[in-house]
Amino acid sequence: MSRRFCIDVVAFADTDQQAPGKVTEACGREYPISQCSCVDASPKILGFAIFECPDRPSVDDLAVELRNGGFELSFIEKEQTVQTTISVSQRLFKEQALAACSEIEPFSFPQSNPPNWGLDRCDQETLPLDNSFNVQGELMGCGVYIYVLDTGVNVDHVEFDRRVLEGKDTTGSRNSPPYRDDAGHGTHCTGIAAGTLHGVAKGSFIIPVKVLDRDGRGTSTSVLNGFSWVIEDANSRDAPAVLSLSFATSRSESVNKAMTQLYEAGIVSIVASGNYNDDACKYSPASSPHVLTVSATEISDGRDARAGYSNFGSCVDVWAPGTRIESTWVGSPTELGFLSGTSMAAPHYAGMAALYLGQHPDATPEDVMTALKSGSTKVGSILGDSVSPRAKMCNVNALQCAPATDCQVSEWSSWSDCPAPGTACGTHSRVRTRSVIVSPQCGGAQCPNLVENSSCGSFEPCVGAGVPAQYFPSGDVDIAFGMLRLSPLADDVYSSCFSSNVRAAPKAALGGAPIALGDDESVEVEFGGGAFKFFGVDYGSMHVGSNGYITFGTGDFRFASTVGSQNPKPVGTNLLVTYEAEPVIAAFSGFSAQGFGRRLNQAVVQTQALESGATHWDLPRISAWFQDLFPQASQATVSTQVINESGNGHVVVNYANVPCGNEQGDTSTFQIVLWLEGSTKAGAIEMWWGELANCDGAVVGVAPGGADRPTQFQDVDFPVSVASCTVAPPPNPSPNPPPTPPTAGSGQGLSLFFS
């Protein structure tokens, strides 16, 4: 069985000249090594040669042969095995291009309830956590390239949208593209460094370099080839670059020398210390003096504590969270997972390095490492580590920020046109906008309002207002992986069109603040001072129901009926409790529990028969997948995000992997986005569906609420494009076919259906 060696030849015997930097020339030389051949000359810039020797000689034997032949050696070592530095792997749940820097959507800081505790810890000096991630100056690391040497990257993940550039594979992968991740580790690390929701540098470009296989293992050859390619690629870009390394091997001269060459090439390297509960100086690349070495922490008894697996010692520069970190994963564009290890700690600092370089693009690697170390918070001792008495923890807000920059905006655009007389119904407004030219940085003045609305006055009342809604019988899921947009044409008219795309991505990442929803419950979520107009009424909050819908004004916990859309027969009952002719909740809202009980003795209790679809119509409601669901299941998550920023205020509600009420079988994943007043899409509703399960029949659509409501649904499929959209049926649909679209000037209100 053969053995490979990495050899660094300083001088050749015949000329005593310095060894050329390109190993292709070195491999053309004659070497006095018995039966060995130079087999790998690809790490050209690093200057190493990989030799394969079939008789498995020792390192000492090879060194003697070379020196006897007149060669001067820097080092010779056996080819090493490199391994990712993860400690515990747990899959959380399963969910379902390049843009110029100016095209990357700004992130709205602070980020409330960040999805992993590492972000929460890395923006503050001390514990406890404050359920927020904030970056002074709203820095995003835009214009900086983060090279992730690992198992590759899930290039389709929604958190990397348009920021993953062409990468490199050195493992011989057959993936498409070759640097696509088939293990998960590289994607997870990338998400911590640069994911939109889970990452530190939310605007940095990502370049995947696959040097480890699907088992998280690589060799000196694959890793050194990756280092060489990074140097070449970074030099060609002439832009700030960060290298994120989350693997370790026993101390290796070839790996450490490569780190020196990366340092000299102007690339700052952030590396994991290793998961061996040992001195980090025994491992590479952690032992290199030209890297920033990061060890892992967890929280124990309210203090920062060394994770039991984490390496330690004088080679450790800084510390960051590493235990049970949630981040991006492989398998789908929305997949997430938990991992633990120093592999997770290092990317926090890779993201911090990108933030710093985004403001200081001419900084050298030494400048960056000094800034990261001096900017980190001195926390004294780390619990469980007696070797690092002056430990420092990550803190993005301790980084030096560039001078304050005020927001600058463009001039107002022209007002949009009001509808011509006779061509519209209801109340309309016109709008003008302006755009951000320079974003605020480092405490500068925030941007003013970017959108203004002005009334166009009232037109003729709308006839047969459109209220899009559809019933889907059990098993019908033909809207899966589709997207729907509803836009208010007037206070009582919504236009709607559906985009059918088998792999459509959600409008926003499936993260945010989790909601603890039991079976058949609702939770009120406030809009943080914003307002959403629904059927002409402004609401400052919504009630998220466990059964796939949002209501306004009051919460609801019922689930949709199982009766087909053409059978308006009773399918169940509501319990109606009234006191002095008022609903019991409204009548008793000001009383104590004792007072409530006394009056309940005098209350009138009745039952009300429900007909198919009645539960959808009786409250102001947005039904995204209204059926009997069970969000208490272990794999299920319901979460919200409230984004209040000028011109872009919106609210996101996510249902991920929620099973039907019987808690068995397939699950449903879907999303609702509400655009708040003052945004460019004010009043619009957007829905997205991933995998869907339809156990008992489901409802999709909107309802204004009130007594005058339909009791069944028109059996109408939504058309698949704007061109085929038709006028929606009125709120009380007749059995007649839907009317044809009106011609211009008819005054008829349009409500476009989709399929």
Side-chain angles (χ1 to χ4, degrees):
M1 185 175 181
S2 63
R3 173 176 290 170
R4 287 191 173 193
F5 297 85
C6 184
I7 301 176
D8 186 21
V9 179
V10 176
F12 291 101
D14 55 354
T15 62
D16 198 33
Q17 65 182 8
Q18 285 300 112
K22 294 186 178 181
V23 175
T24 49
E25 298 179 30
C27 274
R29 313 290 299 199
E30 292 293 333
Y31 290 89
I33 307 177
S34 302
Q35 300 181 0
C36 296
S37 57
C38 183
V39 296
D40 199 312
S42 52
K44 299 180 287 200
I45 292 185
L46 301 180
F48 305 138
I50 306 297
F51 287 80
E52 188 167 62
C53 304
D55 58 353
R56 297 174 61 86
S58 68
V59 170
D60 291 340
D61 290 342
L62 285 178
V64 169
E65 286 194 65
L66 284 166
R67 291 191 176 105
N68 287 343
F71 285 82
E72 181 182 345
L73 300 178
S74 172
F75 63 82
I76 179 172
E77 64 185 15
K78 291 185 295 185
E79 185 174 44
Q80 308 250 14
T81 298
V82 180
Q83 188 171 358
T84 56
T85 55
I86 55 173
S87 175
V88 180
S89 175
Q90 177 185 354
R91 295 289 291 279
L92 174 59
F93 50 82
K94 184 177 181 180
E95 306 172 341
Q96 223 310 56
L98 165 64
C101 193
S102 60
E103 296 174 350
I104 295 176
E105 184 175 352
F107 189 86
S108 178
F109 290 100
Q111 182 179 3
S112 299
N113 298 304
N116 71 57
W117 73 272
L119 286 183
D120 197 344
R121 180 65 185 90
C122 280
D123 73 335
Q124 59 190 68
E125 293 188 359
T126 59
L127 292 171
L129 302 176
D130 62 0
N131 299 315
S132 176
F133 176 65
N134 196 20
V135 180
Q136 63 168 332
E138 300 192 346
L139 306 181
M140 296 176 61
C142 195
V144 180
Y145 297 85
I146 300 179
Y147 293 84
V148 183
L149 262 74
D150 213 289
T151 61
V153 169
N154 177 1
V155 298
D156 298 322
H157 204 286
V158 294
E159 291 207 32
F160 309 144
D161 182 35
R162 300 186 302 163
R163 294 185 292 124
V164 178
L165 310 187
E166 188 75 18
K168 178 70 174 178
D169 167 62
T170 64
T171 68
S173 166
R174 295 183 179 180
N175 297 339
S176 179
Y179 45 83
R180 182 183 293 276
D181 191 2
D182 48 11
H185 185 271
T187 298
H188 196 275
C189 295
T190 303
I192 298 169
T196 303
L197 288 178
H198 290 78
V200 176
K202 303 177 185 296
S204 292
F205 295 123
I206 301 160
I207 302 181
V209 185
K210 184 177 177 65
V211 299
L212 307 178
D213 62 20
R214 64 186 309 159
D215 297 320
R217 293 180 178 272
T219 64
S220 298
T221 303
S222 64
V223 171
L224 293 175
N225 287 340
F227 290 152
S228 180
W229 184 85
V230 168
I231 293 175
E232 289 186 291
D233 190 72
N235 286 342
S236 70
R237 296 183 187 278
D238 191 27
V242 177
L243 180 62
S244 182
L245 299 176
S246 288
F247 55 74
T249 184
S250 56
R251 188 176 179 116
S252 165
E253 293 300 327
S254 60
V255 172
N256 283 0
K257 182 176 181 180
M259 306 318 296
T260 299
Q261 295 195 22
L262 287 157
Y263 175 88
E264 293 173 347
I267 301 167
V268 59
S269 298
I270 313 296
V271 309
S273 69
N275 288 351
Y276 303 98
N277 187 24
D278 197 0
D279 186 348
C281 295
K282 297 179 182 179
Y283 300 89
S284 289
S287 57
S288 168
H290 294 121
V291 302
L292 188 81
T293 300
V294 189
S295 278
T297 67
E298 55 196 21
I299 298 177
S300 178
D301 295 328
R303 290 184 56 188
D304 296 304
R306 179 177 74 88
Y309 50 80
S310 179
N311 283 356
F312 49 82
S314 60
C315 287
V316 174
D317 296 304
V318 289
W319 299 75
T323 297
R324 194 168 171 76
I325 302 297
E326 180 187 281
S327 185
T328 48
W329 198 253
V330 293
S332 80
T334 55
E335 194 100 8
L336 301 175
F338 281 114
L339 290 179
S340 296
T342 55
S343 283
M344 287 62 255
H348 286 92
Y349 268 95
M352 286 178 61
L355 296 184
Y356 184 81
L357 281 169
Q359 289 286 288
H360 306 85
D362 297 325
T364 66
E366 189 63 32
D367 294 335
V368 177
M369 290 190 291
T370 298
L372 293 179
K373 286 185 281 190
S374 63
S376 298
T377 300
K378 297 178 181 179
V379 293
S381 62
I382 295 287
L383 187 64
D385 176 48
S386 59
V387 184
S388 306
R390 291 180 297 276
K392 297 179 178 181
M393 280 289 296
C394 56
N395 184 356
V396 295
N397 287 314
L399 291 174
Q400 178 186 353
C401 194
T405 302
D406 294 340
C407 176
Q408 298 180 30
V409 298
S410 66
E411 297 294 327
W412 286 109
S413 67
S414 300
W415 286 103
S416 62
D417 294 331
C418 287
T423 63
C425 63
T427 301
H428 291 269
S429 63
R430 58 179 183 165
V431 64
R432 66 175 183 173
T433 62
R434 53 187 174 184
S435 59
V436 176
I437 300 174
V438 178
S439 297
Q441 300 286 350
C442 302
Q446 296 299 300
C447 296
N449 185 28
L450 301 177
V451 181
E452 279 190 354
N453 292 281
S454 175
S455 175
C456 290
S458 296
F459 294 76
E460 292 294 321
C462 291
V463 179
V467 184
Q470 183 175 337
Y471 178 84
F472 292 82
S474 177
D476 183 354
V477 294
D478 64 1
I479 61 171
F481 294 102
M483 300 187 74
L484 160 65
R485 180 169 181 178
L486 307 175
S487 299
L489 294 180
D491 285 349
D492 56 355
V493 177
Y494 279 85
S495 70
S496 54
C497 257
F498 179 83
S499 298
S500 179
N501 182 343
V502 290
R503 302 317 299 177
K507 296 296 291 184
L510 296 177
I515 298 177
L517 268 179
D519 188 25
D520 298 335
E521 288 185 354
S522 68
V523 172
E524 185 175 12
V525 177
E526 296 184 350
F527 297 153
F532 176 70
K533 180 171 287 187
F534 187 59
F535 283 102
V537 179
D538 286 333
Y539 294 98
S541 67
M542 63 183 173
H543 295 264
V544 179
S546 58
N547 292 316
Y549 53 73
I550 295 169
T551 57
F552 298 95
T554 186
D556 196 8
F557 53 81
R558 295 166 295 165
F559 53 86
S561 71
T562 61
V563 175
S565 60
Q566 298 301 307
N567 297 307
K569 64 183 181 181
V571 297
T573 59
N574 270 349
L575 183 66
L576 302 181
V577 183
T578 59
Y579 176 72
E580 296 182 352
E582 293 292 331
V584 70
I585 294 177
F588 297 166
S589 61
F591 290 93
S592 65
Q594 291 82 0
F596 184 92
R598 287 195 300 270
R599 287 161 178 78
L600 187 59
N601 290 330
Q602 307 169 33
V604 177
V605 179
Q606 299 173 298
T607 60
Q608 176 191 46
L610 298 181
E611 294 180 337
S612 173
T615 48
H616 167 75
W617 297 106
D618 61 1
L619 290 173
R621 188 187 312 266
I622 299 171
S623 296
W625 196 237
F626 184 1
Q627 64 172 323
D628 188 12
L629 299 177
F630 189 72
Q632 277 184 304
S634 58
Q635 78 273 30
T637 302
V638 180
S639 61
T640 63
Q641 303 171 60
V642 179
I643 294 90
N644 273 314
E645 58 183 34
S646 181
N648 191 44
H650 59 285
V651 177
V652 183
V653 182
N654 297 308
Y655 292 77
N657 295 329
V658 182
C660 296
N662 58 16
E663 306 176 48
Q664 298 177 355
D666 296 333
T667 63
S668 297
T669 295
F670 50 95
Q671 180 182 88
I672 311 168
V673 180
L674 311 180
W675 290 91
L676 302 180
E677 291 297 290
S679 71
T680 55
K681 303 178 186 178
I685 304 161
E686 293 171 326
M687 303 186 208
W688 169 88
W689 296 271
E691 297 283 357
L692 290 176
N694 189 348
C695 303
D696 301 312
V699 174
V700 173
V702 295
D708 185 17
R709 60 180 184 264
T711 58
Q712 66 178 116
F713 292 83
Q714 187 87 351
D715 190 11
V716 176
D717 274 340
F718 302 144
V720 298
S721 68
V722 174
S724 59
C725 290
T726 59
V727 175
N732 291 289
S734 68
N736 298 321
T740 56
T743 58
S746 67
Q748 174 76 31
L750 288 182
S751 178
L752 305 179
F753 265 70
F754 33 42
S755 104

